Amino acid sequence: MSKTKIKYICSNCGYETLKWLGKCPSCNEWNTFSEELVEERKGRRIKKKETVISKLSDISQEEDQRIKTGIDEFDRVLGGGLMPGSVTLLGGDPGIGKSTLVIQAAAKIQNTVLYVTGEESVKQINIRAKRLGLESENLLLLAETDLTIIKDAIKKNDPFVVIIDSIQTVYDPDLDNSPGTITQIRESTAELLQLAKGTNCAIIIIGHVTKDGFIAGPKVLEHIVDTVLQFEGEKNYSYRILRAQKNRFGSTNEIGVFDMRDDGLHEVKNPSEIFIGEREKEISGSIITSSIEGTRPVLLEVQALVTPSHFGNPQRVATGFDYRRLSILLAVLEKRAALRLSSSNVFLNMAGGIKIEEPAIDLAVCCAIASSLKNISASPGFVVVGEVGLGGEVRSVSHIEKRIQEAEKLGFEQIILPKSNLKSVSIKNKIKIHSVENILEAIQLTIGE
Ligand code: TYD
Ligand code: MG
């Protein structure tokens, strides 16, 4: 027996209420509630099973062999390949290249792959595969959105990897809700997870990001799936970055960098070269810094543009950098370096469309802003790293040796780094090292003021 009820479900976190609300009490988002039919089925999920308790020492310690996607950048972000019996959610804006990435991986995987598409026809997929020059004997295509048929196909063909493109199109006919609703997405994902655990196949689920920048129901799905990957990039750049937001089988720090060309996605083995490749050398407001992305150091260009503001409220815009962090650094520069920024517009950009959260690039941001404000270009041979504290002091950063090596490898002559990092630096480096204690010293070194 089942009873159907109308409920309101938050599309961001899955919070359920009986009344429509403007603001979600759980995640504080506005206007996220939508009406859904919720069937209250008794005993649907609770099946009587025999309890199995195992001794920790009796469980095999061998890790299942990972399934390599054959794309190194993809495998590294996954933590070494797909784990059998796991579910990976691949999210990203429409048109960013999710289907392209998975079809390229699917053609390279050495075992049977079932590609389930609800968005394109089998013919369209074939045309794309041909255009990308992909050929595979192991790739099975299925154009289907009905979950029961998909499940049957998985059981019948016993693939190593299943791709669901996309979860928004899949529906469970047992539920009354239409495809794409939170209930459908959540229930279908949960069923796919059970199937993955039962059959030991690896499932990749593609999910579109809603216009607010969320994968529909991200909080709900994040708990269900094993790995959450995000494929991102700016519309105007051809670079795409794959990162892990959650990974049960690996680190969440690694990034994979790709270049989208006419013939598909190409791996970018040395990201530093692309991020600093288009730099205008003698221009104010541009500073090269070194960020650690996972295990790799990546050099990138911090660009600042400071202009006088003629109105009361100066503008502050940060692209690829945390806005609040920028406000803090502006306050530090104003107070500790006596730079007059309160009446200036400040625009900050990480060139190449990359997003950086690491505080180790603070000092480069400060130097770039100072350089633009004074309109003095910094010497192009410099790389600047260091975290900045509220007192204007420069604090130590991690992996200093890797950053130095990368700067040296790409032909930079001088590096500015925190004094407290100096003890962990061996003297073998050819690059000239300047150690600084505060932002004033760094600004002096880069622009001579
Ligand atoms: P797609 O993989 O369909 O995106 P998603 O599945 O994330 O919606 O990629 C679509 C975009 O990528 C489209 O704008 C065209 C572009 N593209 C290329 O530039 N080169 C290619 O080889 C392919 C297949 C797509
Ligand atoms: Mg697609």
Side-chain angles (χ1 to χ4, degrees):
M1 277 291 284
S2 70
K3 214 166 67 180
T4 308
K5 257 191 176 174
I6 290 182
K7 280 196 181 176
Y8 296 88
I9 303 185
C10 170
S11 63
N12 182 39
C13 69
Y15 184 85
E16 295 180 10
T17 79
L18 294 174
K19 246 184 19 224
W20 188 86
L21 297 173
K23 183 181 174 190
C24 175
S26 168
C27 67
N28 293 329
E29 288 291 320
W30 286 91
N31 277 331
T32 51
F33 281 93
S34 58
E35 186 180 300
E36 290 201 20
L37 295 171
V38 177
E39 232 181 290
E40 305 204 323
R41 274 173 292 188
K42 282 185 188 139
R44 180 178 183 236
R45 295 224 166 274
I46 307 152
K47 287 193 196 124
K48 271 218 166 135
K49 264 199 199 163
E50 237 175 78
T51 324
V52 185
I53 296 179
S54 320
K55 248 189 177 171
L56 183 65
S57 54
D58 291 348
I59 304 167
S60 150
Q61 289 186 356
E62 264 174 55
E63 207 185 61
D64 277 340
Q65 182 134 37
R66 298 199 186 226
I67 305 162
K68 296 272 179 211
T69 64
I71 300 176
D72 290 345
E73 297 287 305
F74 196 177
D75 284 336
R76 203 188 37 251
V77 176
L78 285 167
L82 290 162
M83 190 63 99
S86 74
V87 174
T88 303
L89 176 68
L90 173 63
D93 285 325
I96 204 77
K98 301 179 295 298
S99 303
T100 312
L101 178 67
V102 291
I103 192 105
Q104 283 184 242
K108 282 198 162 184
I109 293 172
Q110 297 295 327
N111 303 94
T112 314
V113 179
L114 177 66
Y115 189 122
V116 182
T117 169
E119 306 218 324
E120 293 159 293
S121 67
V122 175
K123 200 165 167 199
Q124 279 171 315
I125 301 266
N126 192 26
I127 293 171
R128 171 182 303 190
K130 283 264 148 58
R131 201 161 66 75
L132 295 172
L134 303 174
E135 262 174 54
S136 172
E137 289 294 313
N138 305 322
L139 183 52
L140 309 174
L141 297 178
L142 171 69
E144 187 53 68
T145 55
D146 183 335
L147 187 64
T148 41
I149 300 180
I150 296 171
K151 277 164 58 179
D152 281 346
I154 296 174
K155 284 181 196 145
K156 222 194 258 143
N157 293 290
D158 198 21
F160 272 65
V161 179
V162 178
I163 293 162
I164 308 285
D165 190 359
S166 67
I167 191 68
Q168 270 99 349
T169 61
V170 172
Y171 75 98
D172 181 349
D174 287 348
L175 300 172
D176 293 333
N177 313 73
S178 49
T181 53
I182 287 290
T183 310
Q184 279 287 6
I185 291 175
R186 182 172 52 193
E187 295 296 308
S188 307
T189 307
E191 291 204 27
L192 288 166
L193 182 79
Q194 280 191 358
L195 193 66
K197 305 277 175 236
T199 60
N200 215 29
C201 68
I203 302 185
I204 301 177
I205 291 176
I206 291 181
H208 293 298
V209 171
T210 60
K211 58 179 182 310
D212 307 321
F214 291 111
I215 301 172
K219 294 271 162 13
V220 194
L221 291 193
E222 259 172 36
H223 296 308
I224 307 176
V225 301
D226 300 299
T227 302
V228 180
L229 305 182
Q230 188 72 20
F231 204 31
E232 49 194 45
E234 297 279 320
K235 279 262 146 39
N236 306 327
Y237 292 97
S238 61
Y239 305 116
R240 302 282 181 267
I241 293 167
L242 184 68
R243 42 173 103 239
Q245 278 177 358
K246 161 183 174 176
N247 195 348
R248 251 178 214 155
F249 314 114
S251 137
T252 51
N253 295 322
E254 293 291 351
I255 60 166
V257 184
F258 297 89
D259 185 8
M260 175 68 97
R261 302 201 204 135
D262 287 345
D263 56 346
L265 289 160
H266 290 251
E267 295 179 66
V268 175
K269 300 277 184 196
N270 192 347
S272 298
E273 275 168 16
I274 60 159
F275 290 125
I276 59 172
E278 289 170 48
R279 179 170 61 121
E280 194 78 52
K281 290 225 165 85
E282 299 288 325
I283 197 162
S284 67
S286 156
I287 297 280
I288 303 297
T289 187
S290 172
S291 163
I292 298 282
E293 295 293 320
T295 50
R296 280 193 301 186
V298 177
L299 292 190
L300 43 108
E301 182 191 356
V302 177
Q303 297 178 329
L305 186 64
V306 180
T307 58
S309 161
H310 302 295
F311 308 105
N313 257 342
Q315 287 190 62
R316 270 81 214 268
V317 180
T319 315
F321 189 75
D322 183 39
Y323 179 78
R324 263 182 305 177
R325 189 90 202 142
L326 172 62
S327 308
I328 293 169
L329 293 178
L330 289 173
V332 172
L333 283 167
E334 180 110 29
K335 186 99 181 164
R336 312 286 175 204
L339 297 186
R340 288 191 46 80
L341 291 157
S342 54
S343 55
S344 305
N345 299 320
V346 178
F347 305 97
L348 186 74
N349 182 34
M350 302 296 130
I354 192 167
K355 276 199 202 100
I356 301 293
E357 279 163 14
E358 225 202 353
I361 71 164
D362 286 354
L363 190 58
V365 170
C366 290
C367 291
I369 292 169
S371 158
S372 181
L373 178 74
K374 308 241 171 193
N375 208 16
I376 302 172
S377 61
S379 155
F382 269 106
V383 170
V384 180
V385 287
E387 182 180 339
V388 173
L390 293 186
E393 79 278 15
V394 175
R395 298 168 162 263
S396 62
V397 300
S398 60
H399 305 290
I400 193 72
E401 284 276 332
K402 277 190 184 168
R403 298 184 209 254
I404 296 173
Q405 279 158 8
E406 181 75 0
E408 206 170 65
K409 201 170 96 196
L410 282 136
F412 286 87
E413 293 135 20
Q414 315 195 44
I415 185 164
I416 297 178
L417 48 81
K419 191 157 211 167
S420 39
N421 267 126
L422 212 52
K423 54 184 179 298
S424 51
V425 177
S426 65
I427 14 166
K428 282 191 297 285
N429 308 293
K430 279 203 300 292
I431 194 165
K432 185 162 176 9
I433 293 173
H434 303 273
S435 65
V436 294
E437 277 178 296
N438 58 54
I439 48 173
L440 282 173
E441 289 174 49
I443 294 171
Q444 168 73 29
L445 279 163
T446 45
I447 61 170
E449 287 234 343

